[in-house]
Amino acid sequence: MKLTDLETPALILDRSRLERNIVRMRDHLSRLGVVLRPHVKTAKAIDVLRLALAAQPGGITVSTLKEAEYFFTHGVRDMLYAVGIAPNKIAHVAALRGRGADVTIILDNVVSAQMVAEQGGAMGVEFPVLIEIDCDGHRSGIKPGDAMLIDIGRILYGGRGTRLRGVMTHAGDSYNCKSVDEIRAMAERERAAVVRCALDLKRAGLPCSVVSVGSTPTATYAENLDGVTEVRAGVYMFFDLVMAGLEVCTIDDIALSVLATVIGHQQEKNWIITDAGWMALSRDRGTAKQKVDQGYGVVCDIDGWPLTDLIVAEANQEHGIIADRNGGALDLKRFPVGSQLRILPNHACATAAAHAAYHVVDGGAEITAVWPRFSGW
Ligand SMILES: Cc1ncc(COP(=O)(O)O)c(C=O)c1O
């Protein structure tokens, strides 16, 4: 089967780029002496994870318990569920652990720590826990130096239903950095925050065997990871336009695209209309605040070569509107009705979430495999 045989919109995954991205991150982190715990929130497919783990076997990070269930069914045991635990998920985590999945959870407050310790004690389950640290003011976590760290540590260490495993942080604000130097500084800030918290716990007589950091920008530009035991990164496998805008990758590294078909034109507006709207591309406009605003995506020809004069300027639910990047006139005859284009996504996680499968190509137009993926909770 070829790309031209596909019903559109369809999600395309370039396997050679995927493998190159996986190997590059593995080599970089092994030079720095740390283990990569890939985050599977973007991939959500065992075929993708197999390539990531083939490069370096080990545990994974999940963002939903559905991911934990799915990857456990496919043989993965060691999983970090890296979203603060909610009371209504404790029983599910206990059930997974009961079936042999080594799921670690995270939390950042006394109420959650007490709740997990009590419920674990009552259920006869011991939940391994990492305390979440806020290294950059991005969202959740305890600020380094906050005495609450030790309070939570003592509850987890003393509780019958909990085992204190360590600390973790995610430098999510690295997505807003304005230069590579800023990302490098952010990587050091991320490292320093958790290493300091690990030391504070140890000084208080508490265990801290795991010191976990991670985001694709900081993982890419980290120069020193002393004191860190593992790095979590996810979007590095696929990359996207936001990552390219941050200079974390180049456009040529982006492994995901959406295949779209031209369904018409608006001659007087110089528009090409396609069947890939925001349902297929996502509403994510993550490049809007970057140096180059990529609209709803970079337009490529069917072979994946960027058509640099074009942009997806607008997106309705099932319609994409492609225009000249600078608002100029287009030779619409270049894009007849029925011709196909590939759109590179702003945010790989959001785009992939709309699709039930990856159509795998290996640089060419031949579809070499179809890899199912899932969404939701
Ligand atoms: C807690 C946590 N760790 C790691 C990551 C991985 O970040 P990235 O996709 O930038 O690699 C994320 C991403 O959302 C996250 O929320």
Side-chain angles (χ1 to χ4, degrees), residues 39 41 82 139 168 170 175 214-217 232-236 243:
H39 202 314
K41 74 198 167 74
R139 54 175 190 221
M168 60 80 68
H170 165 61
Y175 278 50
S215 78
T216 289
R232 308 173 319 277
V235 81
Y236 75 97
M243 289 297 130

Side-chain angles (χ1 to χ4, degrees), residues 7 44 50-51 64 122 131 149 158 205 226 263 275 297 303 335 352:
E7 187 171 321
K44 295 190 201 263
R50 279 198 190 107
L51 293 180
T64 64
I131 303 175
L149 174 74
D226 288 354
I263 57 172
D275 62 357
D303 298 318
F335 313 99

Side-chain angles (χ1 to χ4, degrees), residues 16-229:
S16 44
R17 291 183 183 195
L18 174 73
E19 288 185 319
R20 197 173 71 204
N21 297 340
I22 286 171
V23 166
R24 192 187 305 146
M25 184 62 89
R26 178 205 63 189
D27 290 351
H28 169 59
L29 293 178
S30 64
R31 271 194 300 276
L32 293 175
V34 282
V35 169
L36 173 63
R37 176 185 283 280
H39 202 314
V40 296
K41 74 198 167 74
T42 323
K44 295 190 201 263
I46 189 61
D47 299 286
V48 175
L49 183 67
R50 279 198 190 107
L51 293 180
L53 291 185
Q56 186 190 53
I60 64 171
T61 314
V62 298
S63 65
T64 64
L65 293 182
K66 188 166 178 177
E67 289 163 35
E69 284 286 354
Y70 168 90
F71 286 105
F72 179 58
T73 309
H74 286 89
V76 181
R77 277 192 72 244
D78 175 1
M79 293 183 275
L80 171 64
Y81 171 46
V83 175
I85 192 69
N88 58 23
K89 296 191 182 105
I90 291 285
H92 192 168
V93 176
L96 273 160
R97 289 196 61 80
R99 280 156 43 214
D102 183 10
V103 181
T104 297
I105 57 175
I106 69 165
L107 53 82
D108 71 352
N109 60 82
V110 167
V111 173
S112 295
Q114 281 167 341
M115 183 256 311
V116 176
E118 276 162 26
Q119 287 200 29
M123 286 190 261
V125 177
E126 198 182 57
F127 293 104
V129 183
L130 301 186
I131 303 175
E132 185 176 11
I133 308 302
D134 177 8
C135 64
D136 61 359
H138 178 64
R139 54 175 190 221
S140 39
I142 295 170
K143 303 243 173 326
D146 188 327
M148 210 206 312
L149 174 74
I150 307 301
D151 297 341
I152 295 174
R154 291 208 170 105
I155 295 167
L156 297 176
Y157 187 53
R160 264 195 309 130
T162 44
R163 184 168 5 119
L164 175 58
R165 243 184 198 172
V167 288
M168 60 80 68
T169 195
H170 165 61
D173 221 36
S174 61
Y175 278 50
N176 299 319
C177 285
K178 299 286 177 234
S179 67
V180 166
D181 282 346
E182 268 188 36
I183 302 175
R184 280 201 190 99
M186 185 67 90
E188 175 51 22
R189 185 170 161 182
E190 187 182 38
R191 185 196 74 86
V194 268
V195 168
R196 186 230 158 124
C197 292
L199 212 62
D200 289 349
L201 285 172
K202 285 179 189 159
R203 282 200 186 115
L206 296 167
C208 185
S209 57
V210 176
V211 182
S212 179
V213 298
S215 78
T216 289
T218 51
T220 303
Y221 284 114
E223 292 173 320
N224 164 28
L225 288 170
D226 288 354
V228 166
T229 62

